[in-house]
């Protein structure tokens, strides 16, 4: 690899860099307890929680880093953090 | 009046430099006024107000740090940029100087050399630019207004070379050269156009083709980026001489390339110096030679890159070498030229004695008598084989 | 090489005088150099400026220590500053004063006097003596032709101001020629 003078680099992009690979625990939904309140979407720092077709929330595992905020904040205990199996 | 003389005009040194900058067609100028650089900034501001700078953007800033930061951004977009400063202003730029060099932005800046506080001094020495030795900028030193003016397009040509891409300081003794009125051949726009191609960098900041300049470099690549700066300097080392020759072909004037020599061929006592004391030294050399003292001068024009090989070659027949420094490394009691020249002789077969003198600090005048005294001391030292430690040549012992 | 030292007070145009001398000398076909003593200039404070004139390009950049000529723009400086310091024995001092040259016998060189303030007041209407003294310098020393001084002053000051300054230069030149 040849470096470019001046530390000049093309811009990085998360389209290529799937940050979900950093995860060691992953959130999983138990929808039977879900009230569709949307707190998980609101609080996700990576904006990788999105509302699906039936109003339930889904996680984009390409970018979820497994921080666990959604599981911690969910008022009904819908979200469980489970060990990532790679 | 001779034909050559007819082209000359009596102007102030600062005007000569500002006028030279104008012929280089800078796209962006940012400068903050500081004594003794002020007249350069004023003249450029006047040219701008009079519409003589074309589409140039003259950005007034609130500090020297802003001035250089502004130019870093501007240069990265592909603009030819110019700044001038001095002393405390240059010191304030310190952090940004590294950035300009590391991002390989060929900014050209005139430094109107001035002493640093404290104690407060507005007068000339070269401590300000010497203190910026390691920021990665090319440093050229001019002996008179004509040379400083002529160096300006040369500096752009060297800096903007795609193999070099390194910013340059033109060091120009404050007051002694910035405020002197003397005949100068002002640079002609057509000739500068012929000499200096437009700035055409390989990489520019462009929203259509985004790139990051000076990106984060972890330990696996930082060394290599710094080494590439060194390689850029090596390219500059190769180009300073030919660029001076190209300038001579077009303008008919030549002040040396990396260095210049005066009556050096048979010289036993070789003085090494840079900046405005060069002229005074030349006059003194002519005088002492009439008394049979074989003195000569090595003028360092490029301090960074330092022309190691050329210096070694120029000094190989010297009986004694005397460095004259308008700066000091306190704690070593030695000027930068002294350190460089001593180091240059190491690992060669030469063991020529090097005597370092510091003089002319904080604007103290350098009269010819003091140069004569130094030459006489060196002559005695050479004959007696005595070593002289580096010291001030013009210290008033009774004051300390 | 001829070296000239000009003593004045901040605001009296000593630096401009040194510069115009350099311009005039160059106009005469000589090389020249002018520079101030680089003080922190304040109105009224003693100021020194220098001019060098030579047939060859001038390389020397030290201050002037042994002037051939000294111009004193303000006679009150005689008691404050060593205006005669280093003046060559065969040199000359030109003093702006209404007194006669005999009054300055302590000066170890030839003294010429000119009442530049009176000339300036009569012709320019203000006590601006720097250009007047350039005329006196040309008349007393013949180092520079009157025409060259006229041109340097005319190029520097335009319109009526320029004309009056030139008239004052001529008056001082003639006064020195006659004395």
């Amino acid at each position: 690899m040849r470096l470019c003078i001046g530390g000049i680099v093309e811009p990085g992009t998360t389209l290529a860099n799937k940050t979900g690979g950093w995860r060691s625990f992953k959130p999983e939904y138990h929808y039977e307890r879900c009230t569709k309140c949307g707190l998980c979407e609101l609080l996700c720092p990576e904006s990788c929680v999105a509302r699906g077709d039936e109003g339930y929330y889904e996680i984009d595992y390409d970018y979820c880093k497994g921080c666990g905020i959604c599981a911690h904040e969910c008022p009904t205990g819908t979200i469980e953090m489970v060990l990532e199996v790679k | 009046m001779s034909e050559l003389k007819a082209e000359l005009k009596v102007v102030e040194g600062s005007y000569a430099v500002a006028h030279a900058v104008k012929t280089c067609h800078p796209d962006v100028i940012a400068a903050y006024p500081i004594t003794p650089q002020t007249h350069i900034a004023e003249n450029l501001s006047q040219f701008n107000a009079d519409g003589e700078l074309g589409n140039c953007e003259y950005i007034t800033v609130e500090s020297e740090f802003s001035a250089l930061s502004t130019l870093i951004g501007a240069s990265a977009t592909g603009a030819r940029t110019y700044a001038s400063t001095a002393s405390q202003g240059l010191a304030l730029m310190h952090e940004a100087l590294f950035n300009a060099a590391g991002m390989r932005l060929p900014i050209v800046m005139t430094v109107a050399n001035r002493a640093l506080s404290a104690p407060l001094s507005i007068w000339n020495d070269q401590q300000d630019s010497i203190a910026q030795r390691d920021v990665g900028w090319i440093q050229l030193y001019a002996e008179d207004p004509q040379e400083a003016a002529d160096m300006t397009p040369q500096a752009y040509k060297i800096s903007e070379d795609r193999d070099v891409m390194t910013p340059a300081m033109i060091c120009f003794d404050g007051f002694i050269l910035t405020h002197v009125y003397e005949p100068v051949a002002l640079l002609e726009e057509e000739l500068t156009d012929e000499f200096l191609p437009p700035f055409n960098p390989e990489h520019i900041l462009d929203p259509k083709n985004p790139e990051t300049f000076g990106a984060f470099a972890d330990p696996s690549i930082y060394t290599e980026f710094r080494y590439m700066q060194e390689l850029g300097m090596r390219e500059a080392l190769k180009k300073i001489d030919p660029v001076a020759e190209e300038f001579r072909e077009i303008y008919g004037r030549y002040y040396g390339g990396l260095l210049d020599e005066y009556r050096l061929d048979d010289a036993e006592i070789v003085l090494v110096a840079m900046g405005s004391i060069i002229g005074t030294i030349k006059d003194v050399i002519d005088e002492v030679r009439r008394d049979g003292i074989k003195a000569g001068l090595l003028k360092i024009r490029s301090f960074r890159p330092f022309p190691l090989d050329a210096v070694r070659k120029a000094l190989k027949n010297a009986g004694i070498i005397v460095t004259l420094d308008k700066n000091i490394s306190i704690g070593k009691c030695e000027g930068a030229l002294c350190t460089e020249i001593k180091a240059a002789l190491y690992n060669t077969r030469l063991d020529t004695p090097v005597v370092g003198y510091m003089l002319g600090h904080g604007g103290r005048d350098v009269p010819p008598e003091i140069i004569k005294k130094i030459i006489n001391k060196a002559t005695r030292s050479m004959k007696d084989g005595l070593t002289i430690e580096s010291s001030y040549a013009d210290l008033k012992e009774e004051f300390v | 090489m001829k070296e000239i030292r000009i003593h004045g007070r901040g605001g009296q145009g000593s630096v401009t005088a040194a510069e115009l001398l350099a311009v005039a000398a160059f106009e005469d076909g000589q090389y020249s150099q002018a520079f101030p003593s680089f003080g922190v200039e304040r109105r009224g404070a003693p100021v020194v400026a220098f001019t060098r004139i030579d047939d060859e390009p001038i390389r020397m950049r030290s201050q002037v220590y042994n002037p051939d000529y000294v111009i004193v723009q303000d006679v009150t400086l005689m008691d404050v500053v060593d205006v005669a310091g280093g003046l060559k024995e065969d040199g000359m001092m030109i003093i702006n004063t209404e007194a006669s040259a005999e009054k300055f016998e302590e000066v170890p060189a030839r003294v010429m006097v000119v009442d530049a303030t009176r000339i300036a007041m009569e012709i320019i209407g203000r006590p601006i003596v720097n250009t007047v003294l350039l005329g006196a310098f040309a008349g007393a020393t013949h180092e520079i032709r009157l025409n060259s001084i006229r041109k340097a002053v005319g190029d520097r000051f335009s319109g009526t101001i320029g004309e009056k300054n030139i008239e004052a230069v001529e008056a001082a030149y003639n006064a020195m020629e006659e004395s």
Side-chain angles (χ1 to χ4, degrees), chain B residues 1 5 8 10 123 144 175 177 180-183 262 279-280 282-283 286 365-366 368, chain C residues 19 22-23 26-27 29-36 38 40 59-63 65:
Chain B
M1 204 179 276
K5 224 165 152 184
L8 301 174
V10 177
W123 292 274
D144 61 23
F175 285 121
L177 299 180
V180 70
Y181 278 82
E182 64 181 39
Y262 186 73
T280 305
K282 285 176 181 169
D283 273 10
D286 286 356
D365 193 36
V366 181
Chain C
E19 175 202 333
V23 172
F26 184 71
E27 192 64 37
Q30 306 193 73
Y31 286 95
S32 59
Q33 179 196 64
F35 55 102
F38 320 133
V40 185
R59 303 184 298 196
M60 179 65 60
R61 298 211 178 267
S62 75
Q63 295 184 9
Y65 294 93

Side-chain angles (χ1 to χ4, degrees), chain B residues 46-340:
Chain B
Q46 186 69 54
F47 290 147
N48 189 45
D50 294 344
E52 291 178 34
L53 291 179
N55 288 325
C56 178
E57 184 106 21
Y58 189 106
I59 301 175
T60 49
V61 286
E62 82 286 4
S63 75
E64 287 84 359
F65 188 90
S66 308
L68 188 55
S69 301
T70 299
L71 295 189
I72 285 172
S75 181
T77 68
R80 178 171 286 160
T81 52
Y82 177 80
S84 58
T85 192
S87 183
Q88 313 299 132
L90 184 63
L92 187 59
M93 285 181 180
H94 183 66
E95 180 188 342
L97 290 170
F98 280 94
N99 283 324
M103 291 188 217
R104 311 298 294 272
L105 302 170
I107 299 162
V108 170
M109 175 160 69
T110 307
V111 175
N113 286 112
R114 161 184 154 182
L116 277 151
S117 292
L120 177 63
S121 168
I122 59 163
W123 292 274
N124 164 254
D125 63 31
Q126 294 168 350
Q127 194 71 55
D128 52 356
S129 54
I130 291 297
Q132 307 297 349
R133 185 192 64 182
D134 296 336
V135 295
W137 284 52
I138 293 165
Q139 277 196 4
L140 306 172
Y141 286 78
E143 73 169 271
D144 61 23
Q146 185 74 66
E147 184 176 23
D150 292 356
M151 259 184 189
T152 308
Q154 291 184 46
Y156 277 114
K157 192 160 191 171
I158 297 157
S159 291
E160 292 174 358
D161 187 295
R162 283 200 178 172
D163 294 331
V164 178
M165 289 300 281
T166 299
M169 282 177 210
I170 298 167
C171 303
F172 181 50
D173 281 332
F175 285 121
I176 298 168
L177 299 180
T178 56
H179 285 54
V180 70
Y181 278 82
E182 64 181 39
V184 176
L186 295 174
L187 267 58
E188 289 161 53
E189 207 172 305
E190 306 79 58
L191 294 184
T192 306
D193 286 346
E194 189 186 332
F195 170 77
L196 179 64
F199 179 34
N200 180 24
E202 199 176 340
H203 296 272
I204 56 164
L205 274 188
D206 177 4
K208 290 195 209 86
N209 180 27
E211 286 184 310
T212 298
F213 279 53
F216 172 82
D218 69 21
S220 70
I221 50 172
Y222 182 81
T223 303
E224 287 66 32
F225 279 118
R226 298 283 285 170
Y227 179 68
M228 286 194 291
Q229 282 181 252
E230 181 60 33
L231 293 180
M233 276 288 191
R234 280 188 206 173
E235 290 298 323
L237 194 67
K238 287 185 216 157
K239 271 150 192 162
I240 291 171
D241 279 338
V243 164
E245 286 296 341
E246 287 165 40
F247 188 88
R248 167 151 61 184
E249 275 167 34
I250 291 177
Y251 275 97
R253 290 191 297 274
Y254 180 75
Y255 277 77
L258 291 160
L259 39 83
D260 199 16
E261 300 176 359
Y262 186 73
R263 305 189 78 165
L264 202 57
D265 285 346
D266 62 340
E268 291 171 347
I269 299 158
V270 178
L271 280 71
V272 186
M274 50 193 192
S276 64
I277 53 173
I278 294 292
T280 305
I281 295 171
K282 285 176 181 169
D283 273 10
V284 173
I285 286 175
D286 286 356
E287 196 183 327
V288 299
R289 275 198 173 246
R290 285 195 285 272
D291 301 332
I293 296 173
K294 287 185 175 173
L297 168 71
L298 176 64
K299 162 180 152 184
I300 303 292
R301 205 165 167 268
S302 170
F303 184 67
R304 284 292 178 276
F306 190 77
L308 196 60
D309 291 338
V311 164
R312 282 174 176 162
K313 206 172 139 215
L315 293 176
K316 69 177 191 299
N317 296 322
I320 189 166
I321 299 161
V322 182
T323 57
L324 301 175
D325 271 293
K326 282 196 173 188
N327 68 89
I328 177 173
S329 177
I330 293 171
K332 190 151 190 275
C333 199
E334 193 169 279
L337 265 183
C338 183
T339 308
E340 293 291 353

